[in-house]
Amino acid sequence: MITYADLAESVILGDEDLVIEQVNSLVAAGNNPLEIINDGLIGGMNVVGVRFKAGDMFVPEVLMSARSMAAGVEIVKPLISSSDMGASIKVLLGTVKGDLHDIGKNLVRIMMESSGLEVKDIGIDIAPEAFAAAIKEYNPDILAMSALLTTTMNQMKATIDKLAEEGLRDKVKIIVGGAPISQEFADSIGADGFAPDAASAADLCKELVKK
């Protein structure tokens, strides 16, 4: 008899084939699709997030776990109605203008999605005007900006200024992150929050939307 704990462990191990096999077995046995996702798949990724934060797991392992989780979710998703899923927090994610780094951003997206957030990733080298246009189009709850270079950090402030200019600043919470970013910097540019790592970013989004 496969349990949700078994499934969570397979996600932690990043064993995609085993995750697919276990999800199919749980579905065939008549288990609740939402429980399979929340208690099994997301349950496993939550452990991955904690271990990654503590330095006990590394990026390649996290990516394997995320891929395994996603494979399981794809099997279960068609069995769940959108009303059952509930209203999720919408996040617009991108790396700022002049910065072509995306590994950290991609990891943030994985952690956010595995925490049940709805993420629209608009990529790298995103100008302030493009962030503003995307906010108008997608109407997110949160804007998450990433920068890995000290030379591109100022684009975060330029983006916040652009949103203020267009009357969009109060419509969205803004979080920032990346290697050179600090809480002090986030405060200085008027961001709502700073996430030191990918695992913290999802928690921060949930905290900000609750407020």
Side-chain angles (χ1 to χ4, degrees):
M1 179 73 181
I2 292 160
T3 66
Y4 296 136
D6 295 330
L7 178 57
E9 187 59 32
S10 299
V11 169
I12 295 164
L13 294 171
D15 190 333
E16 188 175 338
D17 291 340
L18 190 53
V19 166
I20 290 169
E21 185 184 310
Q22 289 174 334
V23 169
N24 280 324
S25 295
L26 287 165
V27 168
N31 285 271
N32 181 299
L34 270 179
E35 286 180 6
I36 295 173
I37 289 180
N38 292 328
D39 300 342
L41 298 166
I42 290 178
M45 270 314 281
N46 284 341
V47 174
V48 171
V50 171
R51 291 186 184 175
F52 177 64
K53 214 171 176 177
D56 296 329
M57 283 182 81
F58 302 97
V59 173
E61 296 163 300
V62 174
L63 293 175
M64 282 173 65
S65 294
R67 201 173 297 125
S68 302
M69 185 204 76
V73 170
E74 283 309 305
I75 296 167
V76 184
K77 216 187 241 176
L79 308 175
I80 302 172
S81 72
S82 55
S83 58
D84 287 341
M85 288 298 280
S88 66
I89 297 167
K90 291 170 69 177
V91 182
L92 182 70
L93 174 66
T95 302
V96 296
K97 185 179 178 182
D99 207 317
L100 306 178
H101 295 90
D102 68 353
I103 291 176
K105 172 184 65 62
N106 293 347
L107 207 50
V108 167
R109 185 187 72 237
I110 287 165
M111 288 299 183
M112 285 182 173
E113 288 177 342
S114 64
S115 295
L117 307 185
E118 185 184 327
V119 183
K120 179 67 183 178
D121 183 352
I122 55 172
I124 55 174
D125 193 21
I126 306 298
E129 298 77 16
F131 276 121
I135 286 171
K136 288 176 190 169
E137 185 178 348
Y138 301 112
N139 196 29
D141 302 295
I142 306 264
L143 168 62
M145 290 188 283
S146 164
L148 197 71
L149 304 172
T150 51
T151 50
T152 59
M153 289 165 64
N154 62 344
Q155 287 298 317
M156 290 179 166
K157 182 173 189 314
T159 300
I160 292 174
D161 290 346
K162 181 68 178 171
L163 298 185
E165 188 187 302
E166 298 206 14
L168 299 169
R169 175 62 188 95
D170 295 336
K171 295 183 177 179
V172 66
K173 298 285 188 185
I174 296 174
I175 67 169
V176 294
I181 310 300
S182 64
Q183 184 64 60
E184 290 73 21
F185 177 76
D187 293 341
S188 75
I189 62 170
D192 296 298
F194 158 69
D197 53 59
S200 307
D203 294 336
L204 178 59
C205 288
K206 290 176 180 175
E207 280 169 34
L208 288 172
V209 170
K210 269 187 213 161
K211 286 181 182 175

